Amino acid sequence: MAVRTIEVREKVMARNNELAGEVRQVLDDHGILSFNVVSSPGSGKTLLLEKTLAALGEELGIAVVTGDVQTQNDADRLARHTVRLVQAVVTGGACHLDALQVQDALTAIDLARTKLLFVENVGNLVCPASWDLGERDKIVVFSVTEGEDKPLKYPKMFKVSRYAVLNKIDLLPHLDFDVELAIRNAKSVNPDLEFFLTSARTGEGLDAWFAFLRSQVAAHAAR
Ligand code: MG
Ligand code: ZN
């Protein structure tokens, strides 16, 4: 099936960028580090965030805003791992989150107790690349059950992301997926991408991911 994208008028985009600036300011005022987690559908990013919340939710004061097109299933899954509020945004058909939705979601979150904010975007590698949500960095998640050419097919997403997570590596023995090729493809689009290889399911590679988050939060606090 063809991928459909919404044509966005420049005015709408300009307004979004303005609101993203406001979100960025609020996060900055509270010393909160923020990541916009983008991915293809079914890459396992909700499970990655579930494991992250379970391990580091309290330690790093993690808050999550999670977007879904039509359900709040992901938010429900995440909420099992934290006593803190997981703010669901149901986009009602839209294939991405926008800054206004994040701004609204933040009013429900205890920002004083938050050090790290994950915004889990809608699973879609196309238009979320164009929507600034006020985050510091985008993290793109994809998995070894997809093609090694994902970064070449969706170059903009890999270009605007600073970090990449290649997930489901526990499945590698059953697949012909070439990890080196996937990384090479991604770096041909964005040489600065930093990679994490993980299996959210088995926990493989999560130590490095957790260590990264700890050091990022510490560095952010020390600014
Ligand atoms: Mg999800
Ligand atoms: Zn969209």
Side-chain angles (χ1 to χ4, degrees), residues 45-46 74 120:
K45 87 179 160 329
T46 304
D74 285 356
E120 182 188 4

Side-chain angles (χ1 to χ4, degrees), residues 148-166:
E148 296 96 342
D149 59 353
K150 266 276 148 90
L152 303 179
K153 284 183 174 166
Y154 303 97
K156 181 163 184 188
M157 190 57 97
F158 284 81
K159 202 168 280 177
V160 299
S161 295
R162 172 130 180 234
Y163 305 98
V165 176
L166 181 57

Side-chain angles (χ1 to χ4, degrees), residues 157-177:
M157 190 57 97
F158 284 81
K159 202 168 280 177
V160 299
S161 295
R162 172 130 180 234
Y163 305 98
V165 176
L166 181 57
N167 194 31
K168 305 191 184 179
I169 57 168
D170 56 301
L171 298 178
L172 281 172
H174 311 289
L175 303 167
D176 292 326
F177 190 90

Side-chain angles (χ1 to χ4, degrees), residues 51-62 209-211 213-214:
K51 294 292 174 80
T52 304
L53 268 178
L56 300 178
E58 288 309 307
E59 181 188 335
L60 298 186
I62 298 176
W209 166 247
F210 293 160
L213 293 175
R214 283 194 178 101

